[in-house]
Amino acid sequence: MEMSEIQAARLLLGGDGRAGQAASRQVGQESASVRYGEVKSVDAEAGTMTVLLDGQSQEITLTDSTASTRLKAGDRVKIVKQGQSWVIDLAGGISRALDTAVSEANARMGAHDETMAQQQAAIEAAQAELAGMDRKISDAVDTAISQLETPDGGNHIYAGADEPTPPKDGLKAGDLWYQTNASGQIAAVKVWNGTVWNGYDMVANSILVAGSVGSTLIADGAVTTAKITAKAITADQIAANTITGAEIRADSVDVNEIASGDIYCKRLTATDGAGYTEMTGNKLEMLDSGSRSLVAIWVEGGVCYINANLAEKISIGTNSGSVLNISNGGFIFSSMMPGFRVNGVSAVESFAIAPGSATESFSANVPYSPHKTSYAVVYYRCTYTDTAGSVKFPITEGGSANVVLKELTAFEAADESIALGCAENITVALGNSPNKTFAITRGNPYRFAIKPSGNSVNANPGSQFEITQVTLCGQ
């Protein structure tokens, strides 16, 4: 049943909402101006809410647009009288709820602190008991060790920082003294020899380390164990199949071979200190002991560069016996020919031609296009005079040249001086692209002798005068 505003007012003033009873009920000053209750429902759109006042069984409906947007069912509220109207005191309701929460929290914190104090007292009592037990155990161990007898029952073992006090019957030869340091650790073991305490040496075929189950043994000349852990090992030599570690630091490592996927170092230095090698970026360089560059190799822009500033010549050889020497004088394409230039330009490539017959005319197709031929070199040999020579001459594509090959040797016979030689005229022709044909047309070779008593020309020397190689040089 919906309650009228008069009935709601009567309930707020302390009545139960029924007519005729409001005037007969006496209320206190606080109940006439302040009431508390619980929100049961909220209608935010209508701006109303229903509240059940403390001590009442019937809900009342209040209109408060602000409170209806901030409260929800279950909230505690404070209702105060302002003039002739009753309004919800939002701050008062929240303050009361906070006071209640703080009071409950303080009560729980007090109980927690009391429990913690009891636990702390128990911990301190246990620590005190343990400390007393540690002292008792330590005193008992010290007493037992100081009075311990050796297995034969005739000697005693003493422990302590100070020299043992002799018993009534005196010290016996063979008594042991475990001398301890300030930390209670054993610093030395000494044996009484009848007069003084001396260092004790243990002698055994082997020592079985406790806990190793036989895997750790100390024997003459060897310590056998799976692992040795130490801050430092000082030895003249360590012989091992493998040394495994994150890092090896040493002033010197002397080995026959280093097998490694990668070697990282600032530089590699020869054992005699003569020089070292550096790899920087794409450049490999060899330097002498004065850090002067001997040879540098690097690749840049698709070109491989070789630089040897301190050398007069660079020699490159192959297993076939071919040699390329590069010097200020030009390129040397074999050991038979000195360096040369043509029109101030050194040759940059050589095309070697082996004659099909050393004594007959021949031709060959040379795939050297698009290089530009500058000159040719013809190598020959004269077994008649036991000499070898070469001749170089300019030649271009589509051109030809007449060349004279000759070799001469001189010696002094018993009766007179004499010179022997071989000679031959050849024609060299070079065809045009694309198939550049190199042709040599031979004349008739001859051999001759020049002497004071008269010259002579002999027959064709045949295989004694032969062309061995032809080299086309280009730019």
Side-chain angles (χ1 to χ4, degrees):
M1 180 180 66
E2 185 175 350
M3 183 180 295
S4 67
E5 293 184 3
I6 296 176
Q7 289 176 320
R10 286 177 177 174
L11 283 176
L12 290 171
L13 291 174
D16 59 4
R18 290 177 294 183
Q21 293 184 352
S24 62
R25 178 165 298 184
Q26 298 294 326
V27 296
Q29 183 177 0
E30 179 180 353
S31 63
S33 60
V34 177
R35 299 298 300 269
Y36 293 94
E38 180 181 346
V39 177
K40 292 300 182 179
S41 65
V42 177
D43 187 348
E45 293 183 358
T48 62
M49 64 191 70
T50 59
V51 179
L52 179 61
L53 299 177
D54 294 345
Q56 300 295 325
S57 60
Q58 190 175 0
E59 299 175 354
I60 64 172
T61 300
L62 297 178
T63 302
D64 191 328
S65 59
T66 301
S68 64
T69 61
R70 298 177 58 182
L71 297 176
K72 62 182 181 297
D75 286 345
R76 294 286 299 172
V77 294
K78 177 182 179 182
I79 304 174
V80 296
K81 186 177 182 181
Q82 292 183 356
Q84 299 301 318
S85 302
W86 291 86
V87 297
I88 297 176
D89 184 0
L90 293 175
I94 296 174
S95 175
R96 184 178 182 187
L98 289 177
D99 290 343
T100 302
V102 169
S103 178
E104 293 175 353
N106 287 336
R108 290 195 297 271
M109 287 298 296
H112 174 73
D113 292 343
E114 183 178 354
T115 302
M116 288 297 295
Q118 295 174 354
Q119 292 179 352
Q120 182 63 30
I123 292 173
E124 292 176 355
Q127 289 176 341
E129 183 178 357
L130 288 175
M133 293 177 63
D134 288 343
R135 286 193 297 271
K136 293 178 182 179
I137 293 173
S138 179
D139 293 342
V141 171
D142 291 342
T143 301
I145 292 177
S146 65
Q147 298 176 356
L148 185 65
E149 292 185 350
T150 57
D152 59 10
N155 294 102
H156 289 79
I157 298 176
Y158 303 91
D162 300 327
E163 184 175 324
T165 301
K168 293 181 180 180
D169 55 352
L171 297 171
K172 296 180 181 180
D175 286 351
L176 296 178
W177 170 27
Y178 291 166
Q179 186 178 16
T180 58
N181 56 22
S183 301
Q185 300 172 335
I186 297 177
V189 178
K190 296 184 179 181
V191 61
W192 181 256
N193 67 357
T195 305
V196 295
W197 291 99
N198 290 325
Y200 178 68
D201 295 328
M202 180 178 291
V203 179
N205 291 331
S206 63
I207 298 176
L208 176 62
V209 177
S212 66
V213 196
S215 62
T216 298
L217 293 175
I218 301 175
D220 182 20
V223 176
T224 304
T225 186
K227 182 178 181 181
I228 295 177
T229 302
K231 291 184 178 180
I233 297 177
T234 302
D236 293 334
Q237 181 178 355
I238 297 176
N241 293 329
T242 303
I243 298 177
T244 303
E247 185 174 315
I248 297 177
R249 292 178 178 269
D251 291 337
S252 176
V253 177
D254 187 0
V255 295
N256 293 328
E257 182 179 350
I258 297 177
S260 174
D262 295 290
I263 297 178
Y264 297 95
C265 61
K266 292 184 178 179
R267 72 182 191 184
L268 296 176
T269 304
T271 55
D272 59 358
Y276 56 94
T277 302
E278 287 185 345
M279 182 69 185
T280 305
N282 63 342
K283 186 176 184 180
L284 176 63
E285 191 170 13
M286 296 174 56
L287 303 98
D288 62 11
S289 57
S291 298
R292 295 182 303 173
S293 178
L294 299 177
V295 178
I297 302 175
W298 71 96
V299 177
E300 184 177 345
V303 179
C304 179
Y305 294 90
I306 301 176
N307 189 8
N309 290 329
L310 301 181
E312 295 181 357
K313 180 171 63 177
I314 296 177
S315 179
I316 303 175
T318 66
N319 57 7
S320 64
S322 300
V323 179
L324 170 62
N325 291 326
I326 306 172
S327 65
N328 292 334
F331 288 70
I332 303 175
F333 293 96
S334 77
S335 58
M336 301 167 58
M337 178 66 188
F340 50 81
R341 289 171 178 254
V342 174
N343 295 329
V345 179
S346 299
V348 294
E349 190 167 350
S350 174
F351 310 91
I353 300 173
S357 171
T359 58
E360 299 177 358
S361 299
F362 66 91
S363 63
N365 290 329
V366 183
Y368 64 102
S369 178
H371 297 285
K372 179 181 180 182
T373 303
S374 300
Y375 51 90
V377 181
V378 177
Y379 299 91
Y380 56 91
R381 178 173 58 209
C382 180
T383 57
Y384 175 64
T385 59
D386 193 23
T387 57
S390 62
V391 60
K392 66 175 184 289
F393 49 92
I395 191 170
T396 58
E397 182 178 340
S400 63
N402 295 321
V403 183
V404 177
L405 312 179
K406 59 182 178 180
E407 281 297 307
L408 181 67
T409 184
F411 62 92
E412 186 173 351
D415 55 347
E416 58 183 340
S417 298
I418 189 171
L420 302 177
C422 294
E424 180 178 9
N425 292 323
I426 62 173
T427 300
V428 181
L430 185 61
N432 293 317
S433 298
N435 294 322
K436 299 183 178 181
T437 301
F438 181 87
I440 292 183
T441 304
R442 304 186 62 175
N444 292 324
Y446 58 91
R447 57 185 180 184
F448 56 88
I450 303 174
K451 50 188 178 180
S453 58
N455 300 331
S456 64
V457 177
N458 298 314
N460 187 337
S463 61
Q464 297 183 60
F465 191 62
E466 58 183 355
I467 297 174
T468 58
Q469 180 179 345
V470 179
T471 300
L472 299 181
C473 301
Q475 300 178 24

